[in-house]
Amino acid sequence: MEVGKKLLNSVPGCVDDALHGLVSCSLGLRVLQGHRVVLRSDLDQVKGRVALLSGGGSGHEPAHAGYVGQGMLTGVIAGPVFTSPPVGSIVAAIRTVAQAGAAGVLLLVKNYTGDRLNFGLALERARRDGVDVEMVVIADDCAFFSPRKAGRRGLCGIILIHKIAGALAEEGKSLQEIASFVKNSSAGIGTLGVSLSPCSVPGSGPTFKLGSDEIELGLGIHGEAGVQRYKMMSCDEVVKLMIDHMTDPASKSRVDIHSGDPIILIVNNLGGLSCLELQIVASSAVRFLEGRGLRIERAMTGSFMTALEMSGVSLTLMKTSPEILQLFDKDTSAPAWPRVSHVPVTGRTRTFPCAPESPQPKEAQPDVKSVQVYSRVLGYVCNSLLSLEEELNDLDRAAGDGDCGSTHARAAHAIKDWISSGQLPSHPSRFLAALSHVLLEKMGGTSGALYSLFLMAAAEPLKDKSGPQAWAAAMEAGIQAMKRYGGAEPGDRTMLDSLSAANVVLQSLHTPNCNAMEILGRAAKSASDAAEETKHMTAGAGRASYIGSSTLSRPDPGAKAAAAILQAIWDGLNDGS
């Protein structure tokens, strides 16, 4: 059996270490000596109020100890991983809060046989000692259409009961009032989970097997079997499947909500789902629930009731009311309770209108000849980049993700479309600025940003001037911008090596009566030579800087592409000269 890796000191001591870690970083909590019990450090504040105790097996962090604090639980009793806590520790917790002056103790228990038995035994022993104790069992699982004799399982929905009961206790409500209210409220809660992978208990292997292309619907928080396995599908399809299942009128364990009902939504990470995926699930859930006419009054997204490192998510829906919302919104010091906005989710505007771009003044009379030259030169550039696609990709595989050629080919196709649109400006500065925008929008990647930056900066010297000297100044301005924002310098094995080598030659354009075409030809040759020299360089910037120099024995693909562009520009100009 393959044992899953865990960052532990020891398997037997992992729960104790976890509880002490929580208490060490949460000043409002303390551990009850000799027991796996976490209590509020201000127990004197419980005097005259009902104390709330919960708990269960560990491995569900931040539940249950993360919900101990003013406005929520008075304490929790933790069992071993996925195992009910011992009766003796539950009794010790009850006695401790009773001795602190609590006006009764309410046990909030998830519906699992072990939890019901152990908390129930502790209740009977505490009552025998004269403590006023009640117990409410929370069962919110919507997985089984016809629940077995044990009933619906207790899942993430209990944390809503922790919050509501805690607020009622702070208000000074009696034990019977709180027990009655939460019992009635819990009837309107439903939870359903879906898993993409199993978890593994410390010291053991995976709790179940799941194919790489499978998901399991309706599993418990300990890895117990669900109701059905499906082939992997999109997030929207998974969320729709979950909501359809948990609200199906034919199901005896459904959450009974209808269009127009106000609800609270919890999107709960079962432990190993990425934040990216969790937010996508939240987006799908809000969209589908609102599409059914439900009013989402509050929503929480995060890790609230986990199953170790299980990659999966559960959705909890609770039918709410103004009174429940008022209790839900009360403050709490519990470390795991998130900051939830006290405003409805449904009905809010979720986007800002994008500010329109400043309209660019149209050229009074475009210079047709200049546009023809630009189109011809760009055509040469595009053809060159398309022909180099595979070579550049091959060069990029040594130090990158092998897409340099594809990125430049994408730019070439975008430029070709731009040429075909007939939207090329004739003024040099506007032409470079427009080309910068095309590459920024269509090319993508670091190369797209760098070329766009280069062109935008190069456009500045050409606003009021033209001619060879202005173009030399434009080249210098573009390179300086790339160095300033890109962080590379000549010699760092990047496209800047080719461009800088060409720039040295192009500065000869400042010489009066120079031969511009001859200088451009020499600049293109210098860029090509510099690109070849990059194979002898140690990468100092970009992704290649993280790769051992011994593996970089070929030219840098970015430098190669930049040299090819300069050569294509010369070829295009020379073809029309």
Short mmCIF file of all heavy atoms in Angstrom, two decimals, residues 54 113 122 133 312 351 427 431 521:
data_model
loop_
_atom_site.label_atom_id
_atom_site.label_comp_id
_atom_site.label_asym_id
_atom_site.label_seq_id
_atom_site.Cartn_x
_atom_site.Cartn_y
_atom_site.Cartn_z
N SER A 54 -18.97 21.64 20.44
CA SER A 54 -19.10 20.80 19.24
C SER A 54 -17.80 20.02 19.10
O SER A 54 -16.99 19.97 20.01
CB SER A 54 -19.37 21.68 18.00
OG SER A 54 -19.66 20.88 16.87
N THR A 113 -22.65 8.10 13.41
CA THR A 113 -22.97 7.20 14.51
C THR A 113 -22.03 7.37 15.69
O THR A 113 -22.46 7.46 16.84
CB THR A 113 -22.94 5.74 14.01
OG1 THR A 113 -23.87 5.59 12.94
CG2 THR A 113 -23.31 4.78 15.14
N ALA A 122 -21.72 11.17 26.82
CA ALA A 122 -21.20 12.26 27.63
C ALA A 122 -22.35 13.09 28.20
O ALA A 122 -22.31 13.54 29.36
CB ALA A 122 -20.26 13.13 26.81
N VAL A 133 -27.85 19.89 30.13
CA VAL A 133 -27.25 19.67 28.81
C VAL A 133 -28.32 19.24 27.81
O VAL A 133 -29.20 18.44 28.13
CB VAL A 133 -26.16 18.57 28.86
CG1 VAL A 133 -25.38 18.54 27.54
CG2 VAL A 133 -25.21 18.79 30.02
N GLY A 312 -11.68 18.53 -4.02
CA GLY A 312 -13.12 18.51 -4.26
C GLY A 312 -13.78 19.72 -3.66
O GLY A 312 -13.12 20.58 -3.05
N THR A 351 -19.89 44.59 -12.23
CA THR A 351 -18.89 45.09 -13.18
C THR A 351 -18.90 46.61 -13.19
O THR A 351 -19.92 47.24 -12.88
CB THR A 351 -19.17 44.59 -14.61
OG1 THR A 351 -20.47 45.02 -15.02
CG2 THR A 351 -19.08 43.07 -14.69
N HIS A 427 1.06 58.29 -40.87
CA HIS A 427 2.02 59.03 -40.06
C HIS A 427 2.87 58.04 -39.27
O HIS A 427 2.34 57.13 -38.62
CB HIS A 427 1.27 59.96 -39.09
CG HIS A 427 2.17 60.92 -38.38
ND1 HIS A 427 2.92 60.55 -37.29
CD2 HIS A 427 2.44 62.23 -38.60
CE1 HIS A 427 3.61 61.58 -36.86
NE2 HIS A 427 3.34 62.63 -37.64
N PHE A 431 1.53 55.08 -36.86
CA PHE A 431 1.71 53.74 -37.39
C PHE A 431 2.34 52.83 -36.34
O PHE A 431 1.84 51.72 -36.07
CB PHE A 431 2.58 53.78 -38.64
CG PHE A 431 3.11 52.44 -39.07
CD1 PHE A 431 2.27 51.48 -39.60
CD2 PHE A 431 4.46 52.12 -38.90
CE1 PHE A 431 2.77 50.23 -39.97
CE2 PHE A 431 4.95 50.89 -39.27
CZ PHE A 431 4.11 49.94 -39.81
N GLY A 521 21.18 47.91 -43.88
CA GLY A 521 21.68 46.59 -44.24
C GLY A 521 22.75 46.11 -43.28
O GLY A 521 22.76 44.94 -42.85
#
